Every structure is written in C-alpha cells, then in structure tokens.
Amino acid sequence: MTNTKILIVEDHRDVRDLLRDVLANDYQVVEAVDGVSALAKFNTEAPDLIILDLMLPQVTGESVLKTIRKTSAVPVLVLTAIQDKQKVVALLEEGANDYLTKPFDIDELLARVQVQLRQRTKPLNEQNKLTYGAIVLNPSDHQVVINGQKLPLPKKEFAILQLLLAHPKQVFTKENLYETVWGEPYLNAENTLNVHISNLRNKVNDLAGTPNKYIISIWGIGVRLV
Amino acid sequence: MTNTKILIVEDHRDVRDLLRDVLANDYQVVEAVDGVSALAKFNTEAPDLIILDLMLPQVTGESVLKTIRKTSAVPVLVLTAIQDKQKVVALLEEGANDYLTKPFDIDELLARVQVQLRQRTKPLNEQNKLTYGAIVLNPSDHQVVINGQKLPLPKKEFAILQLLLAHPKQVFTKENLYETVWGEPYLNAENTLNVHISNLRNKVNDLAGTPNKYIISIWGIGVRLV
DNA sequence: GCAGGTTATGATTAATTTATCAATTAAATC
DNA sequence: GATTTAATTGATAAATTAATCATAACCTGC
C-alpha cells in the first residue's frame, strides 16, 4: 500500500465498488459521486490521479475536467461509454491524459493507472505539506505554522488558506473560492466570504509580522497570494 | 511546424506513409523500418516521442522498447494488432506510455500524441502567458510584467491589453474592441473606450521606458500593437 | 441544554474603478 | 491653411466592489 491517492468520480454504485476494490490494494482511494463533490474532494484530498466518469448527474465530467485543469496538471483518466468515442479526441485535447471505454478490462485499467503515475516524478519525501513564504500548512494534522508560531484556524478559514496555498499566485474569483470551499453555489454569499477572508488575513498578517499582505484582493477579479 | 521531433518505427510502407503524412504538418518526422535502425535513429536524432510498431522483422518492438528504456524516458506510443491486446498490459508495465490498436483513428492518434507531448510542457500557470516585446501578461494570476516590473491594471485595462496581446499586430476597430471587452453593443461609447486606451497606453509606456509606443492608433481605423 | 467557539448576516464605511464631460491637441482632407 | 474629424487629456461624478464592525444564528462537545 503506497501513499498514492486516487480519486474515483463515478455515480454508478456498482462501477464505483468495482474500482475501489481493484485499486484499494495498491492505493489510497477516495470517492465522489457527482461533479460538485468531485471538485470539493479534489481540493481537499489533493489526489495523485483522478478516474473520472464522463456521465455524471448535473455537472458533467467534461466541466469537472475543465475546472480541474485551470489549476492542476494532475493525471485524469476518463471513463466513457463506447458510443462516446467521438468525444474522446476532444477530451484528450482538453486535458484528459487517457481514457477507457466501459466495460473496461481490469488489468488494462491498472496498467494505465500505473503508466500515468509513473510519469509523475513527485518527490515523496515532503508529504503534502504546503509552503508559501513564511507560511507552512499541513493538511494531515490540520495545522498552520507561520514564522515558527502555531496559528490555530477554524475549518473554513483553514480551507480557504489551503486552497490558496495549493495554487500559489493563481487568482481565485470569489465564486470559485466559495464554491470549492463551501461546496455549494455562490448565491449572494459574497459577504460571508469577505468576512472570512478578512479574518483570515488579519490572523496571517499578525503572525507574518512584516507588512506583507499575503492575501491580497485583485479588485473586481478575486483574491490571490503574493 | 514545431521543432518537436517524432520517430516512426514501422515496417509496413503504407502505414508508415500514412503516419508521416498526418504528422508532418505539425511535427518533424524521422522514420525507421526495423528495430536496428530504430535504435540507431533514436540515438542520433533524439526524438521527443516514438511511435513504435510491435511487429517488426528481427528485433521486435518489445525489445526496442526495453533497450530504449534503459537510457531514456522518452514517451513511446505503441502500435499493436488487435489480437495482441493481451500483450499490451505487459507492455505498459515495461515502459510504454500508450498504445493504439490497428487500424487506428487518425484523430485519436494525433490527440494521443499531443497528450504525451503535453506532459513535458511548462507548468499550467505558465501555459497561457502572453508575451509581446517587453510585456508579459499572465491571465492566471492576473499580472502584467513589463521589463521585470509589475504593472497592476484594473479589470478593463487588463482585458484590453490581453485582447491586444492575444492577437498581436492585428488591428482592432474601436467597435470590435469595445464589444469584445465590454460584451455590449458599441453605442456612442466611443469616448469611454478612448479614455481607457489612453490610460493604458500611458502606463505601458511609462514602464516600457523606450519611446516605444506599444499601443498605437491607426487613424480612422482602430488600434494595434507594434 | 449550556458554553465555547464558529459561521452567517446586515449595515456602514472605505476604496477603487469606470463613465462622462469639456477642452485641447493632433491628423487628414480639400 | 482652414476645416473637419479623430484622439488625448484632466477633472469629476457615478457606480461597483471590498473591508470592517457589531450582532445574531448556529453548532459541537460536554
């Protein structure tokens, strides 16, 4: 059992069970049953590979892929019904790394998973600690350290900081940020998010000491680290 | 035509011709007709990707792959006859990056080639960076750098610059520009746009240093980069 | 069910961008 | 060179968006 983590996104229970069974021997497995939870899991779990069913309720696999590709190069292996084969070319161009048509051969699946993981030369020494400047965030024990001082953070603030640190310098629109952290549509929740950001920023700046504004707003666009 | 080089290893003349034809538009193509010449070409040409037929006279594709993998991680895309499918899993484990069964779909081939080549390209946030002269614009972190100096830009000005940089040298009519940036009809908003362009131009020229007028107006027509 | 912290909401204020106007300057046409 | 049309500029008003504060609602563990 490695510490390699695979996210399975599949709404059909039977397929999901099958995938989990065959992958669980060799990998850590996390699961999502629809597009929204897929994105949430993607952000919180930071998987090393994603197996993505195309046919999902509501948010389609395609749009999940697109969203993920905005911030990440994580390998994505798409599952597709045989009649979708025309779509596949477009999908590969949009960022999918490989695909399998259902029903798929288990051994081939495993082999293709291996191929994707092999490409990635991720230094496994540092777990999934996130660092930016003086900020160190460790998801596994839910702890943030800034300049050596511990900073206890409530869940939401932690999640926001984690998302920002996971994609440094990338601009997040308020909508984007809210939907991935809260996992629900951004409906005039503007102020809620603003308040959280404000609180988080104060705490971070307090410890960072420097007049460094780590979390800055880009007027009319969103928020990012600097 | 990029400077990306692909090595085709295929003994059948017709398949080889087909592959060359479809790839030659986008890539440099070198060819080998058997295992021995494949290894020779691999060493002398240093291709960025190899398309390898499994069924070769004398030295088989499998052993070519093995030999290559001793010294190189170059992406290898294997071509296989339909009845070899069982072999494929073993092959992927031995280091092949992908495979296609013959007869293959051209578009799928091209897409899979792209996928393999994409892995080596720049990190995502560098991907859609736009550059023109001393100007570098990065949409993902909403940042403009000119001669190494950051230039913060408001939304509209940023959008205008982005549009210009995306189509360098192309002339934009005022109407054109306004409608794509504002997303609404150009109804005597003439001055609004003019003011924005003027402001943007000043900021750009300030940092560009040179009397370089990056954004020039073409009298009576519109605006373009130079 | 209570006490702690956490999260959401609303009202207010501050900050910044965007639009508009008027006046000037520059370019083209004749 | 006079005239017309387009472009620039600076100033100012309007509109948007963000930050802050105080407070209420909500949980969660005890």
Side-chain angles (χ1 to χ4, degrees), chain A residues 9-140:
Chain A
V9 184
E10 168 66 70
D11 58 327
H12 295 301
R13 169 120 195 225
D14 47 350
V15 183
R16 208 166 61 237
D17 288 348
L18 171 63
L19 286 170
R20 186 195 324 110
D21 286 353
V22 300
L23 290 170
N25 291 326
D26 300 319
Y27 309 102
Q28 289 178 46
V29 175
V30 288
E31 302 171 32
V33 296
D34 59 53
V36 175
S37 67
L39 290 173
K41 285 272 158 82
F42 165 69
N43 282 305
T44 56
E45 299 279 350
D48 301 287
L49 180 144
I50 299 175
I51 297 178
L52 177 65
D53 185 14
L54 269 200
M55 296 287 286
L56 293 174
Q58 290 158 24
V59 184
T60 66
E62 283 96 332
S63 84
V64 170
L65 175 61
K66 267 190 196 161
T67 307
I68 287 174
R69 274 289 170 270
K70 283 181 190 156
T71 61
S72 166
V74 62
V76 173
L77 209 155
V78 165
L79 297 182
T80 164
I82 193 81
Q83 63 269 30
D84 292 339
K85 244 207 153 180
Q86 294 82 339
K87 277 193 199 164
V88 163
V89 169
L91 222 65
L92 290 175
E93 283 165 1
E94 278 169 24
N97 294 71
D98 201 354
Y99 75 88
L100 283 162
T101 49
K102 295 198 263 190
F104 47 82
D105 179 65
I106 298 291
D107 290 329
E108 183 173 349
L109 171 76
L110 287 171
R112 289 188 175 276
V113 165
Q114 254 186 272
V115 168
Q116 290 307 323
L117 292 173
R118 187 170 56 211
Q119 324 250 342
R120 155 205 81 124
T121 50
K122 178 188 164 193
L124 293 170
N125 46 3
E126 290 280 322
Q127 304 93 318
N128 24 21
K129 235 184 238 181
L130 297 170
T131 304
Y132 189 87
I135 305 175
V136 180
L137 179 149
N138 194 340
S140 66

Side-chain angles (χ1 to χ4, degrees), chain A residues 68-73 85 89 92-99 105 107-108 111-112 114-116 118-119 168-171 218-221 224 226, chain B residues 69 85 88-99 105 107-108 110-112 114-116 118-119 124-125 139-143 150 153-155:
Chain A
I68 287 174
R69 274 289 170 270
K70 283 181 190 156
T71 61
S72 166
K85 244 207 153 180
V89 169
L92 290 175
E93 283 165 1
E94 278 169 24
N97 294 71
D98 201 354
Y99 75 88
D105 179 65
D107 290 329
E108 183 173 349
R112 289 188 175 276
Q114 254 186 272
V115 168
Q116 290 307 323
R118 187 170 56 211
Q119 324 250 342
K169 295 190 178 176
Q170 154 109 32
V171 180
I218 309 214
W219 218 92
I221 308 287
R224 69 174 191 125
V226 97
Chain B
R69 274 289 169 270
K85 240 205 156 180
V88 163
V89 170
L91 221 64
L92 290 175
E93 282 165 1
E94 279 168 22
N97 294 71
D98 201 356
Y99 76 87
D105 180 65
D107 290 329
E108 183 173 349
L110 287 172
R112 287 187 174 277
Q114 255 185 274
V115 169
Q116 291 306 324
R118 184 171 56 212
Q119 324 256 341
L124 262 176
N125 55 338
S140 78
D141 62 359
H142 190 80
Q143 196 158 276
K150 284 179 200 166
L153 286 181
K155 223 191 334 192

Side-chain angles (χ1 to χ4, degrees), chain B residues 8-27:
Chain B
I8 298 172
V9 185
E10 168 65 71
D11 59 327
H12 296 300
R13 169 123 194 223
D14 48 348
V15 183
R16 206 166 63 238
D17 288 348
L18 171 64
L19 287 169
R20 186 196 323 111
D21 284 354
V22 299
L23 291 169
N25 290 325
D26 300 320
Y27 309 101

